[in-house]
Amino acid sequence: MFKEIGEHMGLTGLFDVYPQAEDRKAWEEVPKSYREQLIREGENWLDYQFPPIYATDFMEFCRTGNRSGYESKLFQKRTVLNALVLAECAQYQGRFLDGVLNGIVAICEESAWQLPAHNTYVRDTPQHILPDVSRPIVDLFAAETGAVLAMAEYLLRDALGKVSPVISKMVDKNLKERVLDPYQSEHFWWMGDGKSPMNNWTSWCTQNVLIAAFTRKLPKPAQEGILKKACASLDYFLDEYGEDGCCDEGAQYYRHAGLTLFNAMEILNQVSGGAFEKLYQEKKIQNIASYIQKVHVAGPYYVNFADCSPLAGRCRAREYLFGKRTGNPELMDFAARDYKECEEQLDLEEHNLMYRVQAAFCHKELMEQAQESLKREAAKQVEGKEGADWQEDCYFPSAGLFVARDSRFCLAVKAGDNADSHNHNDVGSFTIYKDGQPMFIDVGVESYTKKTFSPERYTIWTMQSQYHNLPTFGQIMEKDGKDYKARDVKFCLEKDCSWICMDLEGAYPPCQIASYIRKACLKKGGDIQITDTWEGSQDANTVVLSLMTYEKPCITQDTGKAKGQETKEGNLDGIYRMEIGSLGSCYIKGASGIETEEIPIIDQRLKLAWKHNIFRTLISFQGTSLEIMIPRD
């Protein structure tokens, strides 16, 4: 797709789609209130002292497994530089230039730009304790640092040149030695080879290398070589995607996968004079763009599995522009309305300066689109039609992700296998939201440490199937790997009822289970029913189903019948009732006992999603089947 175009097109210019700071007419078209916010944020950092990063900071990861100390220091330096650059672009009176200079020099003086967790030359091998400055590694954040410095110098090139011409030379030298030369001379795993699996690294790194390369004048052979290598990598990246456009890393990683693909396309398209324009009409590209809307639940919540958080982040300019490029007005509306709801529209924690520049020049259009969208939605409601947020049920065969919804419920179930990028052992698990609030949850992932991406990954509790909405057979949990997967998957997406059914036995290592059939069904305007049935020689009382909830469940045994619920055998008698906070009830039939434990949320990353402790309810089977019913009321 990309490589074929790259082989037969010429370069027509640099990536200059966003104006430099001296273009005052263009910058003053950014709304005054937005520019004033940029200036105020820059003022917060006028006296900031860019801290040195010591060798012992870098060594901490190999010594203790801790990533956060080094990364927080490194990331803050870049976000502060971004704030100072944008404040100077907004005001352009020289007030912030000293801070910008200090930031550029401080980052150029760092011995390495790659993270300690990525300080290795071969994928999935032990990291070196210190960086080899004679052989730079281009990882996610070396590439992104290159993009930050490149954009900072590009935006303020004229003003920096009036201070001293050596500043731009310093940036160019560091970009050449740390990013562009190694990119052309080395093969890093994320570049792709047609054999190894890719993930968000491929498009993310490629996007940032392109920013670094095409915001400055390089020799034409170097430009052509970088462009062709980038095109090959993007093809390898797309080969990993199904035609359905599903990001198997989840909604949170869509921002680092689908959206970085978009920006890479934008750069390639501009520097080639529009040669890549037709790719926006490719069905796979359009599906990648629209994925984020399809997995949105309500408000800030998204369907989440694997390392993805349920709070995957608000949409901003990139989602909107991707929708605009692919001719998707529904995505444009969705992104604009979501942007309008952002508590903080400046995106102050964003490391990538280009994203923030995109937002500045798109802010006015986003707000206008949001207003128009809200008017259209209100008109639809008056006419009795579904609102603009309504999404049809969907199934993504490439990842086995099923999503069904009505006006109260959102049911998501993951089939697929346990070999996803950022995998958790979660084949067959489900999440349920009621009235936009989490009822049955996927916990997500704790802060990354050395153990997270190591052979010890599945000793971490959040990765294990027993901390998902899944069964455990004695001590046997699901296993990681592509061979551990759902079998005999069937699904139905209908106006009145949507369901998915699968055999989970294949997701577990050999045990005394011959089959474990799970069927999850949402009756539109009615209830959700989940039925688990197993066969085998396992003792029934050792088959235990875990249910994860955000709100504390109150459990009682109901010897009467569930309100209005009947099965083929008659009324549901002798069932357990779980009252889940204020969200409503869940009825369980076929259990011999139920107990609940509280799980403290102490990790800082988990605290972003879960503001209080969560709960795991363990349900022991009485026989070979278990029925769970969540009524609408």
Side-chain angles (χ1 to χ4, degrees):
M1 190 180 290
F2 282 90
K3 188 176 180 181
E4 183 179 354
I5 296 173
E7 293 287 348
H8 300 94
M9 45 73 60
L11 293 168
T12 61
L14 300 178
F15 179 60
D16 56 2
V17 68
Y18 296 107
Q20 295 170 299
E22 62 265 28
D23 186 348
R24 298 319 300 160
K25 181 179 179 181
W27 273 92
E28 286 170 9
E29 288 179 359
V30 175
K32 183 179 179 181
S33 61
Y34 194 94
R35 283 184 282 125
E36 288 173 346
Q37 291 181 70
L38 292 176
I39 293 167
R40 287 195 297 271
E41 176 60 19
E43 289 171 342
N44 291 333
W45 303 105
L46 276 171
D47 298 322
Y48 180 75
Q49 301 297 310
F50 287 86
I53 296 180
Y54 298 104
T56 48
D57 293 330
F58 200 98
M59 296 164 71
E60 183 182 11
F61 174 76
C62 283
R63 286 177 166 177
T64 70
N66 182 281
R67 295 176 55 148
S68 59
Y70 180 91
E71 291 179 11
S72 61
K73 186 182 289 189
L74 179 132
F75 293 152
Q76 186 179 52
K77 291 171 72 172
R78 285 137 181 83
T79 54
V80 170
L81 175 61
N82 290 348
L84 292 167
V85 168
L86 289 169
E88 183 60 31
C89 288
Q91 191 175 67
Y92 208 57
Q93 294 177 2
R95 287 179 65 207
F96 303 96
L97 272 184
D98 282 354
V100 171
L101 288 169
N102 285 336
I104 289 174
V105 172
I107 292 172
C108 286
E109 287 178 344
E110 293 171 359
S111 61
W113 289 346
Q114 73 267 25
L115 297 186
H118 304 157
N119 190 37
T120 182
Y121 296 93
V122 180
R123 188 178 192 177
D124 297 330
T125 59
Q127 296 82 5
H128 302 287
I129 194 167
L130 283 169
D132 181 351
V133 297
S134 70
R135 190 185 172 195
I137 290 173
V138 182
D139 75 328
L140 291 177
F141 296 103
E144 189 152 77
T145 295
V148 168
L149 285 181
M151 282 298 293
E153 186 276 338
Y154 163 78
L155 290 168
L156 294 173
R157 185 170 292 162
D158 186 66
L160 293 172
K162 290 175 181 176
V163 176
S164 172
V166 304
I167 302 164
S168 291
K169 291 180 181 180
M170 179 189 299
V171 171
D172 286 345
K173 179 178 185 293
N174 276 272
L175 293 179
K176 182 177 187 298
E177 294 177 353
R178 297 176 187 244
V179 177
L180 302 178
D181 281 355
Y183 177 77
Q184 295 173 85
S185 62
E186 295 264 10
H187 179 83
F188 299 101
W189 68 264
W190 53 263
M191 295 175 172
D193 58 10
K195 301 174 183 177
S196 305
M198 299 292 96
N199 62 13
N200 65 80
W201 279 55
T202 304
S203 57
W204 194 355
C205 290
T206 300
Q207 164 207 260
N208 286 321
V209 170
L210 290 172
I211 293 171
F214 288 101
T215 49
R216 55 218 58 255
K217 294 180 180 179
L218 300 178
K220 191 168 183 179
Q223 287 184 324
E224 290 176 344
I226 290 170
L227 183 142
K228 289 178 180 178
K229 195 165 190 176
C231 287
S233 291
L234 295 175
D235 278 343
Y236 291 132
F237 172 75
L238 281 175
D239 286 344
E240 295 287 304
Y241 259 86
E243 189 68 22
D244 56 29
C246 183
C247 180
D248 70 354
E249 299 172 283
Q252 198 170 11
Y253 285 89
Y254 163 88
R255 270 76 195 221
H256 304 313
L259 292 186
T260 57
L261 170 70
F262 164 68
N263 267 340
M265 292 175 69
E266 288 287 276
I267 297 167
L268 291 172
N269 199 47
Q270 194 201 4
V271 302
S272 66
F276 293 84
E277 185 83 29
K278 63 182 180 181
L279 293 188
Y280 288 109
Q281 305 310 312
E282 290 284 338
K283 189 62 177 177
K284 181 184 284 191
I285 300 295
Q286 293 179 341
N287 286 341
I288 289 172
S290 63
Y291 160 84
I292 192 65
Q293 189 177 9
K294 294 173 183 176
V295 295
H296 180 241
V297 177
Y301 289 111
Y302 285 84
V303 169
N304 74 303
F305 294 100
D307 275 357
C308 183
S309 169
L311 298 181
R314 292 284 190 180
C315 291
R316 295 178 183 273
R318 292 186 296 158
E319 292 89 344
Y320 174 80
L321 292 170
F322 205 0
K324 190 174 183 179
R325 277 293 200 177
T326 54
N328 187 336
E330 290 80 13
L331 177 56
M332 293 169 65
D333 281 349
F334 169 68
R337 292 196 316 275
D338 207 36
Y339 175 78
K340 189 175 185 296
E341 294 300 316
C342 287
E343 293 182 6
E344 186 275 293
Q345 292 177 333
L346 295 188
D347 205 8
L348 299 178
E349 298 301 315
E350 176 53 58
H351 309 146
N352 196 300
L353 181 54
M354 181 173 149
Y355 302 170
R356 295 198 59 193
V357 173
Q358 282 179 306
F361 283 95
C362 198
H363 173 77
K364 181 180 178 182
E365 186 176 343
L366 276 163
M367 297 300 286
E368 290 174 350
Q369 181 87 14
Q371 287 297 113
E372 290 301 314
S373 175
L374 290 170
K375 288 179 183 177
R376 289 193 296 271
E377 185 176 9
K380 286 182 180 179
Q381 291 174 349
V382 169
E383 296 171 6
K385 298 179 180 178
E386 297 290 358
D389 271 329
W390 187 260
Q391 283 294 301
E392 293 181 355
D393 298 348
C394 55
Y395 181 72
F396 297 94
S398 67
L401 179 59
F402 167 94
V403 184
R405 58 187 104 218
D406 66 11
S407 59
R408 296 204 75 177
F409 284 122
C410 179
L411 166 68
V413 186
K414 181 186 177 295
D417 60 39
N418 280 330
D420 296 324
S421 181
H422 292 268
N423 179 71
H424 289 200
N425 289 338
D426 57 6
V427 167
S429 190
F430 62 84
T431 61
I432 296 174
Y433 284 76
K434 187 176 182 181
D435 297 329
Q437 297 301 310
M439 193 173 195
F440 292 94
I441 66 172
D442 184 291
V443 180
V445 67
E446 293 180 313
S447 300
Y448 287 165
T449 67
K450 189 175 184 179
K451 185 186 287 189
T452 310
F453 299 102
S454 78
E456 298 180 86
R457 179 177 178 87
Y458 295 98
T459 65
I460 301 171
W461 68 278
T462 58
M463 313 291 183
Q464 298 173 345
S465 59
Q466 65 177 339
Y467 290 96
H468 291 78
N469 299 312
L470 288 166
T472 302
F473 309 117
Q475 300 299 313
I476 299 176
M477 299 180 287
E478 286 191 6
K479 182 79 171 63
D480 58 295
K482 65 180 181 181
D483 294 331
Y484 297 93
K485 58 189 176 184
R487 296 173 179 161
D488 300 325
V489 179
K490 303 178 182 67
F491 67 94
C492 177
L493 307 176
E494 298 288 351
K495 181 178 180 180
D496 297 328
C497 178
S498 289
W499 56 264
I500 187 169
C501 182
M502 70 194 81
D503 186 352
L504 303 184
E505 182 271 334
Y508 292 77
C511 58
Q512 295 174 301
I513 295 294
S515 69
Y516 190 101
I517 308 299
R518 165 163 287 178
K519 182 175 182 180
C521 174
L522 169 59
K523 296 178 180 178
K524 305 303 177 67
D527 55 32
I528 290 176
Q529 293 184 348
I530 296 171
T531 305
D532 288 2
T533 305
W534 63 274
E535 294 180 352
S537 56
Q538 187 87 17
D539 289 338
N541 60 9
T542 65
V543 181
V544 177
L545 176 66
S546 297
L547 291 179
M548 308 296 297
T549 60
Y550 184 34
E551 303 299 338
K552 183 176 181 178
C554 178
I555 300 170
T556 57
Q557 191 165 9
D558 191 341
T559 56
K561 59 186 179 181
K563 181 180 178 182
Q565 300 303 313
E566 295 186 350
T567 66
K568 293 178 181 178
E569 293 80 21
N571 292 327
L572 289 174
D573 296 327
I575 67 173
Y576 286 90
R577 175 180 176 180
M578 289 177 60
E579 193 73 24
I580 303 172
S582 60
L583 290 174
S585 299
C586 167
Y587 294 94
I588 301 166
K589 180 187 178 183
S592 63
I594 299 182
E595 58 185 52
T596 296
E597 63 180 16
E598 186 170 358
I599 300 176
I601 297 297
I602 57 177
D603 176 76
Q604 292 304 309
R605 183 165 180 164
L606 287 182
K607 281 183 176 180
L608 296 175
W610 313 116
K611 306 305 181 186
H612 56 69
N613 292 346
I614 62 174
F615 301 87
R616 180 169 74 144
T617 298
L618 299 173
I619 304 168
S620 299
F621 275 61
Q622 187 175 56
T624 58
S625 67
L626 191 76
E627 297 177 26
I628 301 171
M629 189 275 293
I630 301 103
R632 189 172 187 79
D633 298 326

